[in-house]
Amino acid sequence: MTVAAPLFAQTQPDLNANQTPVNTAVSASAVALIPKGFRFAHPGELTVAISAMNSPPLSLLGNDNKSRIGSDPDIARLLADGLGLKLRLVPVSWEEWPLGISSGRYDAALVNIAVTEDRKKKYDFATYRTDSLAFSVRQNSPIRQIRDARDVSGLKVVVGSGTNQERILLGWNQQNKRQHLPEATPVYLTDDAAVNLALLSGRVDVLFGPQSAASYKAALTGKTRVVGLGPKLAQVAVTTKKGNGLVYALQAALNSSIKNGTYQQVMTRWGEQKEAVTASKVNPPGITY
């Protein structure tokens, strides 16, 4: 599959201005779709798992060094507002959200979760963004381009455990193995500061992660650059427990915010307007491996 060029933000988001929440109106149609007798994790609140990792523009710490801001927390607020609920954000690591959703500890998760056919067996999805994955290197790296398995042969590549990028990298390793080429070495780091230090110091060669975060970081610091996109375009979605019915209310809340323009306001202020969807879809065809 051919993926378009990286979607760089036109301008850097104004982090001071973006501390101010974007609110939206209650959607009567969305409220009506909340399943009868549904038990939220906290009564009267929508409890949403978001990334604890600083990964702007998706999620990062606000000026108080405590509040979470970013496009994912903003989308979560639109969902809560649309359903007439208060918002409770719970920062989590990537490894935490599946169990938290399955156990009912969170009502929904927005952790840059892509729809895959395997995940659809356990979770329901309402899409809110399109995204591709990107390969980043330090500015002075000799690596000029990454397009396929051969280009990562023998490199140390930072990926998240259990992510689509990990599965892609391991699949490419199998291709290289069959071609008698050195495999890439997956490197698992969960702290953004550790990732930056490892990449800029040369201890790792490549970071493979969400392209919106990669493009943001490259434009902000000038210390890294994007040298290629992953082979699969993703539909990123609000994730809920399979079969509990909440996904249709979340979809309606998203579509209400799209209709009244608050969704577009969020996407634009974080430089993600080119990744915006025109309508949220429930459980669309997902990535397969």
Side-chain angles (χ1 to χ4, degrees):
M1 173 179 180
T2 301
V3 178
L7 304 173
F8 291 98
Q10 295 295 316
T11 58
Q12 283 302 305
D14 185 337
L15 295 184
N16 287 323
N18 289 4
Q19 312 277 327
T20 303
V22 174
N23 293 102
T24 196
V26 175
S27 168
S29 59
V31 173
L33 288 172
I34 298 174
K36 186 176 181 180
F38 185 85
R39 298 183 64 180
F40 287 95
H42 296 273
E45 299 180 344
L46 183 69
T47 302
V48 181
I50 57 162
S51 176
M53 185 173 180
N54 282 339
S55 185
L58 305 178
S59 180
L60 64 154
L61 286 172
N63 287 340
D64 61 3
N65 209 34
K66 179 174 62 176
S67 303
R68 303 302 300 190
I69 63 172
S71 59
D72 279 353
D74 276 0
I75 294 294
R77 185 172 293 104
L78 297 182
L79 292 170
D81 285 354
L83 295 179
L85 300 169
K86 292 182 179 180
L87 175 62
R88 179 187 290 251
L89 293 175
V90 183
V92 301
S93 67
W94 173 263
E95 295 81 8
E96 289 179 89
W97 74 259
L99 180 58
I101 289 293
S102 298
S103 67
R105 192 159 67 246
Y106 323 126
D107 303 310
L110 281 84
V111 195
N112 199 59
I113 304 168
V115 182
T116 71
E117 288 302 308
D118 281 346
R119 288 176 186 159
K120 281 165 62 177
K121 297 172 184 176
K122 294 183 178 180
Y123 311 101
D124 284 325
F125 297 94
T127 60
Y128 66 94
R129 185 166 56 82
T130 60
D131 191 24
S132 59
L133 299 168
F135 297 97
S136 296
V137 299
R138 62 188 181 279
Q139 188 61 247
N140 62 352
S141 170
I143 300 169
R144 308 310 303 177
Q145 183 172 264
I146 294 178
R147 292 188 302 179
D148 55 35
R150 292 168 297 180
D151 295 327
V152 298
S153 175
L155 300 181
K156 295 178 180 178
V157 182
V158 177
V159 291
S161 178
T163 61
N164 289 328
Q165 50 266 38
E166 180 192 39
R167 296 186 68 171
I168 290 169
L169 184 66
L170 295 180
W172 280 5
N173 274 347
Q174 291 303 310
Q175 292 181 37
N176 283 332
K177 188 176 181 179
R178 289 193 292 270
Q179 296 297 319
H180 305 290
L181 294 173
E183 298 178 30
T185 301
V187 179
Y188 301 98
L189 300 171
T190 58
D191 178 79
D192 188 60
V195 171
N196 290 336
L197 180 61
L199 186 63
L200 296 179
S201 68
R203 292 205 302 269
V204 299
D205 302 298
V206 180
L207 168 62
F208 189 22
Q211 78 82 23
S212 56
S215 297
Y216 178 97
K217 187 175 292 186
L220 181 66
T221 69
K223 295 180 179 179
T224 61
R225 52 189 168 82
V226 174
V227 293
L229 296 184
K232 296 177 183 289
L233 189 65
Q235 295 293 317
V236 179
V238 185
T239 306
T240 63
K241 187 175 182 179
K242 187 74 177 178
N244 69 8
L246 184 62
V247 69
Y248 298 102
L250 296 172
Q251 177 197 31
L254 281 166
N255 284 333
S256 176
S257 69
I258 291 171
K259 185 176 181 180
N260 67 30
T262 48
Y263 166 84
Q264 290 86 345
Q265 184 181 346
V266 166
M267 299 299 284
T268 298
R269 80 175 188 161
W270 291 108
E272 296 178 322
Q273 57 268 39
K274 291 185 178 181
E275 299 179 345
V277 299
T278 56
S280 176
K281 297 180 179 180
V282 169
N283 295 333
I287 295 173
T288 57
Y289 297 91

